[in-house]
Amino acid sequence: MSSYEDYGRVSQSYDRTRRPVGLKLVREGLARSETRLDSLKLVDAGCGTGAYTEALGGDIPHIVALDYSTGMLQAARAKCRDLPAKFLRASIQDIPLSDGAVDGVLNNLVLHHLPADDGFAAQKRAFAEFARILRPGGALVIGVCTREQLRDRKSTRLNS
């Protein structure tokens, strides 16, 4: 969970300042899976308010959207209520899926929220979980932000 953002509160207004960007790159990355997009089983690991789940829901029939924040997950459920997505409250460091359960994992703008003061143990655990739940030949797509975007948070938001 983020140490600098109260996502229970932020979830109420999050979508006013953010939208899913880089969808072409996300689709291209997921298309590297040995499974076609129209058959893919995807985990949106750290789904937030479900922006990417919603945007990909027309292409990908099986999405498990997970987030640790109850508020963000509630917003995602509401936004994606017409999609056949499954929603789970879980940490990306302990994903409640079986080994090899999915063809793709999307983790977008989440890793910087994990603590890094202990040799990046939290990030290592998240990557181990991604590898564990991915089928052989699956695709992992990671989206990160730059240090500048973290310092100047306006650059990661849309002008309102």
Side-chain angles (χ1 to χ4, degrees):
M1 192 61 156
S2 179
S3 60
Y4 59 86
E5 193 92 66
D6 175 2
Y7 280 112
R9 182 181 52 77
V10 170
S11 65
Q12 305 303 309
S13 60
Y14 193 84
D15 287 341
R16 282 187 238 143
T17 59
R18 293 171 179 88
R19 62 181 168 86
V21 296
L23 284 168
K24 180 180 182 223
L25 292 173
V26 170
R27 284 185 181 97
E28 287 173 1
L30 293 173
R32 293 179 179 261
S33 170
E34 292 177 358
T35 304
R36 293 186 350 226
L37 285 180
D38 63 0
S39 300
L40 198 80
K41 292 182 180 172
L42 173 69
V43 168
D44 186 353
C47 69
T49 61
Y52 287 85
T53 297
E54 179 183 45
L56 296 169
D59 301 330
I60 299 172
H62 309 285
I63 300 178
V64 175
L66 67 88
D67 204 282
Y68 192 74
S69 165
T70 302
M72 295 296 254
L73 204 54
Q74 287 172 343
R77 275 190 189 107
K79 178 187 294 178
C80 302
R81 66 184 163 274
D82 295 330
L83 295 176
K86 179 178 179 181
F87 297 89
L88 296 175
R89 183 180 180 275
S91 166
I92 62 171
Q93 299 171 71
D94 188 21
I95 300 173
L97 296 174
S98 60
D99 296 359
V102 298
D103 307 297
V105 173
L106 170 62
N107 180 256
N108 193 51
L109 299 177
V110 177
L111 294 172
H112 61 276
H113 290 283
L114 299 176
D117 54 354
D118 58 351
F120 296 96
Q123 288 82 356
K124 291 175 185 175
R125 180 69 188 142
F127 278 103
E129 281 293 276
F130 301 156
R132 182 186 65 75
I133 66 170
L134 268 173
R135 289 187 181 129
L140 172 62
V141 176
I142 303 286
V144 296
C145 58
T146 66
R147 290 180 184 169
E148 292 78 15
Q149 287 171 316
L150 284 174
R151 278 194 300 264
D152 178 15
R153 303 210 28 226
K154 291 178 188 173
S155 65
T156 62
R157 298 179 184 183
L158 295 174
N159 294 328
S160 11

